[in-house]
Amino acid sequence: MSITLTPAISRKHFTRPEYHFLADNGFLRDARYELLGGDILVQMPQKEPHGSLVMAIVFLFARLFGEEFIRCQMPVVLSNDGEPEPDVVVTSSSRSVYQTGGIPTSADVRLVLEVFVSTLPYDVGEKAEKYAQSGVAEYWVVDVESRRLLVFRAPSPTGYAVTAVFTDADAVSPLAAPLVAIPVGDLLP
Amino acid sequence: MSMTLTPPVIGNAFATAPNTPRRMPLSREQYSLLGNAGMLPERCELIDGEIIEKLSQSPDHTQSMRRVERVMRRLFGEEFVYSQTPLVLGAHDEPEPDVFVTTLPEATFLQRQPTASDSCLSIEVSVSTLDFDTGRKASRYALAGVADYWVVDVESRRLLVFRDPAGGAYPAPLEFDETQIVSSLAAPLAAISVVDLLP
C-alpha cells in the first residue's frame, strides 16, 4: 500500500539509537529487520536457492579477499538512519577490529553485494541511492532471474555515477581487487 | 585473465517487481515505549503501525476544531468530549482525533484509554490532510468499527460523514454543505448546523 502524504503530515523516521532502543527492549525479535532511510523494514524469510547462493559467494569472496574481511547478512552503519544487513560485505579491516570497535560503517566497506533470486524489486534503485549517499564504494546486485550482475560505482550524494550490467559471459574485477577477474557465472547458480 | 568491461551506463531502471521490503508495523506497545522514552515527535499519532507526525496546525484548523468541540460539549456534555487525546482503535492504531465523544463517564478512563467501542463519534478537521483523513485514516476507523466518523473539510466548506462500516471500509460518505443540518447517530434528534463546525 502506498500513500501520498500531504505536507502537514509525515511519517516518523527512526534513528539508529531509536532502532536499537526497540531491540534492547525486547522488540524486533519475531523477525529479521533492517533500518533503511529511517524505516524499519521487515526482512523476508530466507529461502533457497538464495541462501545457498549467498553462502557460495561468501566462500568465493573468502578465498579472494581473505575470510576475516567477509561478513554475511550482518549490519553495516550507513548513516544515523540507515543500518541495513546486506547479503555479503567486504570490509577494509579484519574482523578483530569490529569485534572491539563496533559495527562497520560505510567507510569500512569496500563492496556490498546483494542477491535477488526472483524479479528485482522496485526499490533496487532506491537502495543503491542510500548506499551511494553514505559513500559505499561499490555495490553489486546479483540478478539471478536475468542471469546478470549490476555494478554500481562512483558514489555521490545523488546516487552512483556509474551503473553497469554484466552478463554471465563476462568477468568483473571489483575495485577492491582490481587484478582479480570474477566470472559473473561464478556468482550465479 | 579478462578485464573489467567498459560499463554501459543505463541508469537505475532495473527493477520490475513491486516493493518487497515491508515497513515494520509498530504496535501500540512499542509506540508507548518510545513515547515514555521521549523518542516520539511532539505531536503524532499511530496509524496503521506508522507514527504519523503532525507538523503544524493552521489557524483555521484550530478555530474549526474549537467550534466542533464547543458544539459537541453543548450537545453531549463537557465530561464526554475529548480533543486531541488518544483513542485506541486497535493493536496498531492510536489516533488523536481532533474531537471524539465517549459514551462513558470520565472516571472510566482514569485507568485505561478510551477505545473505539467507548466512542460514539469521532471527528477530524481537515485543512491540508483531506486525502489522508478520508482515505487511509478512515479505513482504520472503519476496521475498528467506529459507527460515526466525520471529516470537516475546511477548504471545501463541507462535512463528510462516514457511516455503516462493513468489511473494514466505509461506503462513500454523506456530504453536507455549509447550508445544511446534520445530526449524529448518538444524538439523532439534535440538529447541528454544518456552518457551526466551520471556521
Side-chain angles (χ1 to χ4, degrees):
Chain A
M1 195 190 320
S2 83
I3 52 161
T4 313
L5 293 176
T6 51
I9 290 176
S10 75
R11 186 175 60 245
K12 177 186 161 54
H13 280 213
F14 289 96
T15 61
R16 288 188 53 244
E18 290 165 348
Y19 175 62
H20 284 280
F21 176 79
L22 283 174
D24 293 344
N25 278 275
F27 295 105
L28 313 184
R29 275 184 189 158
D30 52 331
R32 291 179 59 234
Y33 297 96
E34 60 183 354
L35 182 69
L36 201 67
D39 287 324
I40 300 174
L41 302 179
V42 184
Q43 306 240 56
M44 294 295 123
Q46 294 285 337
K47 283 185 193 161
E48 287 299 336
H50 181 268
S52 298
L53 199 50
V54 168
M55 288 317 296
I57 294 169
V58 164
F59 289 119
L60 172 68
F61 278 16
R63 285 197 298 280
L64 293 176
F65 297 97
E67 54 101 5
E68 70 268 38
F69 298 98
I70 309 302
R71 296 169 78 85
C72 177
Q73 298 181 343
M74 293 289 146
V76 174
V77 176
L78 291 189
S79 55
N80 196 40
D81 66 358
E83 192 178 308
E85 301 188 359
D87 286 327
V88 184
V89 168
V90 181
T91 58
S92 50
S93 301
S94 75
R95 211 167 31 234
S96 55
V97 171
Y98 307 115
Q99 227 162 25
T100 50
I103 300 173
T105 68
S106 48
D108 299 312
V109 170
R110 300 156 87 193
L111 175 63
V112 167
L113 178 146
E114 284 181 310
V115 175
F116 292 93
V117 169
S118 48
T119 319
L120 289 187
Y122 276 127
D123 72 333
V124 161
E126 239 172 82
K127 205 167 194 181
E129 201 175 287
K130 302 258 164 34
Y131 286 132
Q133 281 163 353
S134 75
V136 169
E138 187 166 18
Y139 177 44
W140 286 12
V141 171
V142 178
D143 179 1
V144 174
E145 192 179 56
S146 304
R147 296 195 64 77
R148 58 186 186 163
L149 174 72
L150 314 179
V151 173
F152 300 82
R153 282 179 183 169
S156 82
T158 56
Y160 283 103
V162 177
T163 58
V165 182
F166 298 92
T167 71
D168 57 3
D170 298 325
V172 181
S173 301
L175 293 173
L179 299 181
V180 175
I182 302 172
V184 172
D186 288 1
L187 307 173
L188 291 164
Chain B
M1 230 181 243
S2 87
M3 288 312 296
T4 304
L5 301 176
T6 308
V9 178
I10 65 161
N12 279 352
F14 306 113
T16 46
N19 255 357
T20 41
R22 215 162 46 89
R23 252 177 246 121
M24 179 187 74
L26 215 72
S27 65
R28 287 208 309 113
E29 204 184 352
Q30 290 163 315
Y31 179 67
S32 90
L33 177 76
L34 289 168
N36 293 338
M39 289 176 172
L40 289 182
E42 201 175 320
R43 293 189 57 236
C44 66
E45 49 189 8
L46 184 68
I47 304 290
D48 196 8
E50 287 183 9
I51 298 170
I52 303 294
E53 207 168 337
K54 295 171 155 183
L55 293 181
S56 60
Q57 189 168 295
S58 60
D60 52 350
H61 182 283
T62 305
Q63 290 313 317
S64 178
M65 193 187 80
R66 283 167 51 82
R67 304 197 74 183
V68 171
E69 200 182 346
R70 201 175 300 142
V71 167
M72 296 307 155
R73 282 185 196 283
R74 209 179 296 140
L75 204 59
F76 292 97
E78 190 85 11
E79 192 185 358
F80 298 97
V81 177
Y82 291 74
S83 180
Q84 297 193 334
T85 58
L87 175 66
V88 175
L89 292 187
H92 299 282
D93 291 275
E94 190 176 312
E96 299 192 358
D98 287 321
V99 175
F100 71 90
V101 182
T102 64
T103 52
L104 297 167
E106 52 195 16
T108 315
F109 305 116
L110 285 172
Q111 305 296 331
R112 65 175 182 92
Q113 284 178 339
T115 66
S117 56
D118 304 321
S119 161
C120 56
L121 175 63
S122 279
I123 305 171
E124 294 285 0
V125 173
S126 263
V127 171
S128 54
T129 58
L130 190 69
D131 287 353
F132 186 67
D133 292 337
T134 60
R136 200 172 182 200
K137 196 182 245 185
S139 77
R140 306 310 292 179
Y141 280 96
L143 268 173
V146 172
D148 217 2
Y149 171 59
W150 293 8
V151 175
V152 180
D153 178 359
V154 172
E155 273 146 341
S156 302
R157 297 194 66 77
R158 61 179 181 158
L159 175 72
L160 303 173
V161 171
F162 294 85
R163 282 180 182 165
D164 303 317
Y170 290 110
L174 306 167
E175 291 188 30
F176 299 88
D177 68 33
E178 58 182 315
T179 67
Q180 289 181 293
I181 281 171
V182 64
S183 56
S184 72
L185 291 176
L189 299 181
I192 299 166
S193 299
V194 171
V195 72
D196 288 346
L197 308 176
L198 289 162

